[in-house]
């Protein structure tokens, strides 16, 4: 019997895959899903690495600022210490600006 029915090639391939090749089709789908997962994972890793580098740079900047603040505090504390020693040991007093002008004019 000769049949004049025409079937498209894609429907024949699809029917053959669903009937005879279920395991290879399932494995193909699993490989594709796995490949997409690897790509997404590596992309996420690159984003996290870039974020980590940015945070490290920010931490270093904050550490530098912290060291500068400690140096500034120490420098200001030295002036306070010197002023305190001058008051206590040498009985020196801080001159107000109006008294300073009087002293200069005399």
């Amino acid at each position: 019997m000769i049949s004049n029915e025409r079937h498209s090639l894609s429907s024949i391939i699809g029917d053959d895959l669903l009937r005879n090749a279920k395991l290879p089709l399932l494995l193909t789908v699993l490989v594709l899903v796995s490949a997409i997962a690897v790509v997404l994972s590596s992309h996420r890793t690159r984003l996290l690495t870039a974020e980590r580098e940015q945070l490290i740079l920010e931490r270093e900047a904050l550490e530098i600022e912290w060291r500068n603040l400690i140096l500034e505090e120490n420098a200001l504390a030295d002036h306070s210490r010197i002023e305190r020693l001058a008051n206590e040991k040498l009985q020196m007093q801080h001159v107000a600006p109006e008294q300073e002008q009087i002293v200069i004019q005399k």
Side-chain angles (χ1 to χ4, degrees):
M1 268 210 229
I2 299 178
S3 170
N4 287 338
E5 285 183 48
R6 291 213 163 243
H7 297 286
S8 69
L9 181 60
S10 60
S11 66
I12 293 172
I13 292 173
D15 288 341
D16 186 44
L17 284 175
L18 290 176
R19 284 191 192 137
N20 301 324
K22 289 180 184 174
L23 183 61
L25 184 62
L26 177 65
L27 291 176
T28 302
V29 169
L30 290 176
V31 165
L32 290 175
V33 169
S34 174
I36 291 171
V38 166
V39 168
L40 290 176
S41 174
S42 64
H43 177 67
R44 178 78 175 140
T45 302
R46 286 182 183 155
L47 288 177
L48 289 174
T49 303
E51 183 180 352
R52 179 179 177 267
E53 292 297 323
Q54 182 64 35
L55 289 172
I56 287 172
L57 291 174
E58 185 178 332
R59 183 186 70 191
E60 289 174 356
L62 289 172
E63 286 176 352
I64 290 170
E65 184 178 355
W66 175 253
R67 282 185 289 228
N68 288 338
L69 287 172
I70 289 174
L71 289 173
E72 183 179 345
E73 180 184 31
N74 290 338
L76 293 175
D78 284 344
H79 292 296
S80 298
R81 181 178 162 270
I82 292 170
E83 186 176 347
R84 183 177 44 80
L85 290 174
N87 287 337
E88 291 174 0
K89 293 188 177 182
L90 302 174
Q91 288 76 35
M92 297 177 80
Q93 295 180 2
H94 185 54
V95 177
E98 58 270 355
Q99 291 175 346
E100 189 176 312
Q101 289 176 356
I102 296 170
V103 171
I104 292 174
Q105 290 175 356
K106 288 183 178 181

